[in-house]
Amino acid sequence: MVDSVLPLPIIVRIPYADINSERIQSSIHSQLCSADLENGNSGLEHVMLHLLFGYPTVYIVYARQRNKHSGRIEYTVYVGETNNIRSRTMQHLRSDAANREDWRSLSEQLKSDPDSVWQYIIGNAHFNKSLTLDVENKMMHFLLSSEAVKTLNNRRTNAQGDYYTQVEFDRIFSQIWLDLHRQDPDLFPSEQIIRDSALFKASPFHQLSDEQVAAEDSILSVLVKILHEEGKPGEGGLQNDGQQASVDKNVSDSDLQNGPTPRLIFVQGAAGTGKTVLLSHLFYRLSTELGIQGLIDESREDSWEDFSACLGERSTASMLRNRYKSYILVNHKQQEKVYNQIATKLGLQKQSNEVVMLPTQFINRFSDQKIDKNGKPMHRGDPDKPRGKADVVLIDEAHLLLTQGNQGYSGDNMLFDILKRAKVVIAVFDPNQILQSAQRWPKNELDTLLSTRNECCGGSENNALQTFKRVNIEGNTFDVGHINLHRQFRIAAGEPVIEWVEKFAGGVDIGPIPQDVDELDSNGAVKRKAYEIKVFDSPVDLFNAIREKSQMKAGGQDGHGLSRVVATYDWAYKGGKPNPDSPDGRWNVEMHRNSDGIWVMGLESADNRGYIADDPDGDPNRFCHPWNYQLSNAGNNAGLRNDVAWAEQAHTIDEVGSTFTIQGFDLNYVGVILGPSVKYRDGRIVFDGSASKNDQATQKRGSTIDYSEANLRNELNVLLKRGVHGLYLFAVDPQLRERLFEASQSNGR
């Protein structure tokens, strides 16, 4: 067992220069002497010097500048680890500054202002190679989520597997981060702020689980084969043959050589099974190891030779030195913001929407210009006329892709249009998160896509990409392979609680709510606190409870911090237009408790106060909070910031979120208001489309097919699975509320 008393980190901060210079040595000496005195030691400077210069270390080089437009301080940061900090520093100052764009920029700033570039060197008596690689990786993870960091440089993800001192890693890193936070809280915010960030949750620097590693390696090994055998980047065509939805045959190695048929890799799994993390990690590896459109410098540390060798494909290395065109798409504006931030900070794109974009932007970019009825070119591409072909396209939340046209999209199926413009499409897809009729697939087509999973995988849970199957749907021919993720990451609870949430979210059943318990580590310390499910008889009480969770200043991973209230779309909302029926012009979620003590929709007829900003919950019998996007940010009349996710902005604690803002995101605690579209009748959950205000969910497909029940069930599924540490519930329907109370009291709650 590893000793629970760990050595403190040694951290020195010095100007970025030759470490052997007299000025730098003097600075290090004075800092180590101060550390000696603070720790009540004397004469240990030589020991600390040995840990910094004789042991592996982690280092952080940063340049600090003020943004000329916003006035905010911004940082350019490089994180690395080395066995010889003296040698590595000179390498960066000399050869890297001449050959690499990231170090060239830092070198130029260093020449113009020698005091603007600094370096932290971090040592610890327990550092070994694996531990420093893990610290480096997690430092990248945390700094990516720091709002002050504009650019973050490093060319690899380094999360390690198991090793002897791995059990010490979390505590050692937390102590390092705490010390750095004390020195510079702008660059190194508190752990709680970092962990609440949407960038943290979607970061490519998460340590993958075994099943995620197996899935990623399986995908990458297939990409090596496909991209090598199809020739130069960006080349290849499309074959269409036939009109009926069908699965034709197994695809052998010879099939991969004979034609440019697009490949579709479906990554499936329920909400919270780590699909986004896998996709983000995969995209970062593709970007840094294959490169995107030549933006990655030729002298990158992690060469394709190393990557292909680890996959047993060293012979292909010389063929794959070219830059491949890779893109990541998501049909969700909130998540598009997050991916754009990640890609821009990591240098994968120079500005937003170069490699991260909405599906319509991608289709337009890879299409001939659309011509109007007068023969004039329009500002959008023609989905029926592909032009060019990307090598790899990753799609998060692919279930949100449209399967019919609308005002902004003139095609018939976004996935098919993307496949026409790519060699390989890797799509995260969960049919239980389809929320709109315009996203629904005809049953025969969806069955065809999903049947390939059953045939190819045979129920296997080893997460390997199995043999591709050729599919033909309405003239669109492509090869489909599947990977399934099973482990639940979002809901930090025991299996009985996860199963209860799954059944309720799927509209199956509301059984007795299990009592979760703390999970302890081998030393008896709390590893995970019990997941909390609470049922409320008042939306005011629920809102106040979530507000309290959000305002708690607890650090670490104890589950407080980013928490919000969300609701089913059962109150009217028309974005961009003032509400003529509200005295404040806002679209609000409104309820009041009548004289019989029952909560009913809307405010009392004589109530014309609207949202009361000073004390919205002062009246325990009145609930009125704006929908998302309705309130202005404090000190910012422009309202919601475009570069930050909705839930991360402090003022949105007074709003009510919806699936449009929260799908795909994590909250520590989520309060869910279930409007009258979710009812409980005769022992079963009922979905009432007539009570919903979500026209996109309740409108019929082609004026004939009614998907409202399925869409509303999926809306419930999305909302109930947002909470990592807790789920708070209030139901407008009296029978549903009564059933939830019965379920909560079954275990003495």
Side-chain angles (χ1 to χ4, degrees), residues 388-422:
K389 188 179 279 281
D391 293 290
V392 183
V393 176
L394 298 94
I395 310 174
D396 200 3
E397 308 278 358
H399 38 269
L400 302 182
L401 295 175
L402 299 180
T403 57
Q404 67 179 39
N406 64 7
Q407 289 182 341
Y409 168 63
S410 58
D412 297 321
N413 185 299
M414 282 183 169
L415 181 58
F416 293 160
D417 285 336
I418 293 168
L419 280 164
K420 293 173 185 176
R421 292 158 173 83

Side-chain angles (χ1 to χ4, degrees), residues 94 220 600 611 657:
R94 293 175 180 171
L220 288 171
V600 295
Y611 171 65

Side-chain angles (χ1 to χ4, degrees), residues 247-503:
V247 179
D248 294 328
K249 61 184 180 68
N250 291 342
V251 182
S252 65
D253 286 347
S254 61
D255 294 319
L256 292 176
Q257 297 176 3
N258 291 334
T261 305
R263 278 79 175 185
L264 171 63
I265 299 174
F266 257 172
V267 179
Q268 292 181 256
T273 51
K275 302 184 297 297
T276 291
V277 166
L278 172 61
L279 200 73
S280 178
H281 195 275
L282 177 62
F283 183 64
Y284 187 67
R285 290 196 66 186
L286 290 174
S287 303
T288 55
E289 294 168 20
L290 273 75
I292 291 182
Q293 304 187 80
L295 294 179
I296 305 302
D297 191 84
E298 288 293 337
S299 61
R300 61 194 186 280
E301 290 176 356
D302 297 299
S303 66
W304 178 257
E305 284 88 345
D306 293 337
F307 170 57
S308 58
C310 80
L311 296 173
E313 299 287 347
R314 180 174 288 279
S315 63
T316 71
S318 62
M319 303 295 291
L320 290 169
R321 290 195 186 101
N322 296 303
R323 289 294 172 264
Y324 287 84
K325 296 179 180 178
S326 304
Y327 300 86
I328 188 163
L329 315 179
V330 59
N331 200 29
H332 189 292
K333 290 186 177 180
Q334 290 288 309
Q335 287 183 298
E336 181 223 4
K337 293 177 187 177
V338 172
Y339 279 123
N340 262 308
Q341 281 185 283
I342 290 174
T344 305
K345 280 192 175 189
L346 294 177
L348 308 182
Q349 59 182 17
K350 293 181 179 178
Q351 60 186 8
S352 292
N353 302 127
E354 287 184 343
V355 299
V356 176
M357 60 191 77
L358 297 168
T360 50
Q361 294 172 315
F362 174 82
I363 293 169
N364 287 337
R365 185 173 297 183
F366 282 81
S367 300
D368 287 336
Q369 246 181 325
K370 196 173 181 66
I371 305 300
D372 67 16
K373 60 182 179 181
N374 298 317
K376 295 182 179 181
M378 302 172 67
H379 294 295
R380 67 175 66 171
D382 189 339
D384 295 328
K385 296 181 179 179
R387 182 182 63 186
K389 188 179 279 281
D391 293 290
V392 183
V393 176
L394 298 94
I395 310 174
D396 200 3
E397 308 278 358
H399 38 269
L400 302 182
L401 295 175
L402 299 180
T403 57
Q404 67 179 39
N406 64 7
Q407 289 182 341
Y409 168 63
S410 58
D412 297 321
N413 185 299
M414 282 183 169
L415 181 58
F416 293 160
D417 285 336
I418 293 168
L419 280 164
K420 293 173 185 176
R421 292 158 173 83
K423 291 180 181 178
V424 183
V425 174
I426 303 165
V428 165
F429 189 86
D430 180 4
N432 293 322
Q433 293 192 62
I434 294 175
L435 302 176
Q436 301 176 17
S437 298
Q439 299 163 352
R440 286 283 164 186
W441 285 74
K443 186 178 185 304
N444 67 317
E445 295 182 7
L446 187 60
D447 287 348
T448 297
L449 289 174
L450 299 186
S451 69
T452 58
R453 173 188 60 183
N454 298 331
E455 291 177 27
C456 77
C457 303
S460 173
E461 296 189 2
N462 64 1
N463 306 109
L465 179 62
Q466 302 295 321
T467 306
F468 281 88
K469 298 287 183 176
R470 182 146 295 166
V471 167
N472 188 284
I473 300 177
E474 297 297 325
N476 298 283
T477 300
F478 47 93
D479 300 331
V480 186
H482 288 265
I483 284 179
N484 290 295
L485 300 179
H486 305 89
R487 180 182 171 187
Q488 175 61 243
F489 288 96
R490 177 178 295 134
I491 301 175
E495 191 59 37
V497 170
I498 293 174
E499 184 178 350
W500 184 89
V501 174
E502 287 282 358
K503 287 185 176 181

Side-chain angles (χ1 to χ4, degrees), residues 52-70:
L52 289 178
F53 296 108
Y55 270 52
T57 56
V58 175
Y59 61 96
I60 303 167
V61 180
Y62 70 92
R64 187 173 183 266
Q65 287 184 316
R66 187 176 297 276
N67 186 296
K68 61 182 179 181
H69 301 295
S70 67

